[in-house]
Amino acid sequence: MSTNHPDPEATGADTPYLDFAGTTPYEDYVQADVLTHLQHLRSDDPGEMVFLVTTQVMELWFTVIVHEWETATRALREDRIPVARDALKRSLRELEALNESWRPLAGLTPAQFNSYRGSLGEGSGFQSAMYRRMEFLLGDKSASMLVPHRGAPRVYAELEKALGEPSLYDETLALLARRGYAIPEAVIGRDLTKRYEPSPEVEAVWAEIYASDDQNDELVRLGELLTDVGELVWRWRNDHLVATRRAMGSKTGTGGSAGVAWLEKRATKNVFPELWTARSHV
C-alpha cells in the first residue's frame, strides 16, 4: 500500500518527499512539462532544436524584461524612484542573460543555418509581439508594427494599448518636469503613439543633472541605470546583427525583411538619446 509519508528509517532521514498524488508541486508552479513539449520541429536537421529552443528562451526573457520595465514605468509615475531603480537593476541582469542567448547561434555557418532555414517559412524575429512591447517601452513606437498581429485579437489589443501608453523614458521626463526641470510641454504632451525624437532642451536638462556636485543624487543614479539599459539594448542589437551576418550574409531576411541591412540601421540608434549626447556638455 502506498503511503504519503515514507518511513525516514527505511528511506534515510535526508530523503526528500517523493510520493505525490498527482503532478509535483514543482511542475504545478513551473509548468515544465508544458515548456519542454513546445518544440515542434519542422525539419530533420539536428541543429533546428537549438535554434527553436534558443528563440523560445529569448521570448521568455522578453516577457520578464517587459514586466520589469512596466513596473519601473508605474513606479516613476508614482514618484517611487527606489522601486523603479530596483526593477531597472533586475532588468540589467536579465538583459545580460538575454544577450548571452545569442551564443548558441553566434557560430552558425551559412550551410548549417540553411539546413533548417526553410522551416521558418515567412516567420521572422521582427514579428515578435513581446519584443515589440519592449521596443514600445523604450520609446520606439510605430503603429505600422501592429499590422502583422491583426489576425491575433488579444495580442493586437495588448500592442495597441502599449502603443498609446507612456514609455519608460516618457515617465522619466515627466518625473523631471514635476521636479522643476525645464522639460518642454511639446515633449510632455507629445503624441505617445509616435517614436520619441531627441530634444535639445531635454539634453540640456540631463547635462544640468549630470553636472551636479552630488554624483549620488537619485536622478544621476536613475540616469545611469537608464544608460546601462540603453547600452545593453545596443549590445543586443549588435549581437543580433553579427549572428545574422555570420549565418546568412546580406541575403534578404525571412518574412520579407531586409535582413542585415535592417539590423544595421537598427544598430546605429541609441535609446534614451539625450542621456548619451548630454555627456558632451558636462
Side-chain angles (χ1 to χ4, degrees), residues 59-238:
E59 286 292 331
L60 291 173
W61 281 126
F62 296 160
T63 302
V64 73
I65 291 167
V66 164
H67 169 74
E68 303 290 18
W69 290 351
E70 287 181 341
T71 298
T73 299
R74 286 193 301 272
L76 291 170
R77 188 180 308 135
E78 298 163 358
D79 291 292
R80 296 185 297 152
I81 292 183
V83 174
R85 282 206 311 265
D86 286 346
L88 290 172
K89 286 176 183 176
R90 290 192 301 270
S91 81
L92 295 180
R93 294 188 288 270
E94 293 147 10
L95 281 164
E96 288 171 351
L98 170 64
N99 290 358
E100 283 295 307
S101 299
W102 283 116
R103 280 188 171 273
L105 306 179
L108 283 174
T109 67
Q112 288 169 335
F113 184 48
N114 285 340
S115 62
Y116 55 80
R117 187 190 181 199
S119 302
L120 277 68
E122 295 183 351
S124 176
F126 79 82
Q127 298 162 5
S128 166
M130 196 56 70
Y131 182 71
R132 192 57 49 202
R133 285 177 63 179
M134 278 181 59
E135 293 279 7
F136 286 0
L137 278 163
L138 292 170
D140 196 351
K141 304 282 192 74
S142 173
S144 65
M145 298 310 292
L146 272 64
V147 173
H149 306 283
R150 286 179 299 185
R154 179 184 60 80
V155 173
Y156 186 89
E158 290 174 350
L159 279 174
E160 188 175 40
K161 181 174 181 288
L163 180 70
E165 291 179 334
S167 70
L168 178 58
Y169 198 49
D170 287 324
E171 291 293 3
T172 300
L173 299 182
L175 170 71
L176 296 183
R178 291 195 300 274
R179 294 290 180 91
Y181 288 95
I183 304 296
E185 179 57 35
V187 171
I188 298 298
R190 73 185 188 86
D191 181 352
L192 296 177
T193 67
K194 305 295 186 183
R195 180 179 289 110
Y196 179 83
E197 298 295 340
S199 159
E201 293 86 357
V202 171
E203 178 186 83
V205 166
W206 280 117
E208 178 184 351
I209 290 170
Y210 270 97
S212 168
D213 292 334
D214 181 8
Q215 290 299 293
N216 286 317
D217 178 80
E218 65 178 0
L219 295 180
V220 174
R221 286 185 288 160
L222 175 61
E224 285 300 273
L225 277 172
L226 291 171
T227 304
D228 290 338
V229 167
E231 179 178 336
L232 288 170
V233 169
W234 178 83
R235 291 184 185 279
W236 157 266
R237 291 173 176 174
N238 277 271

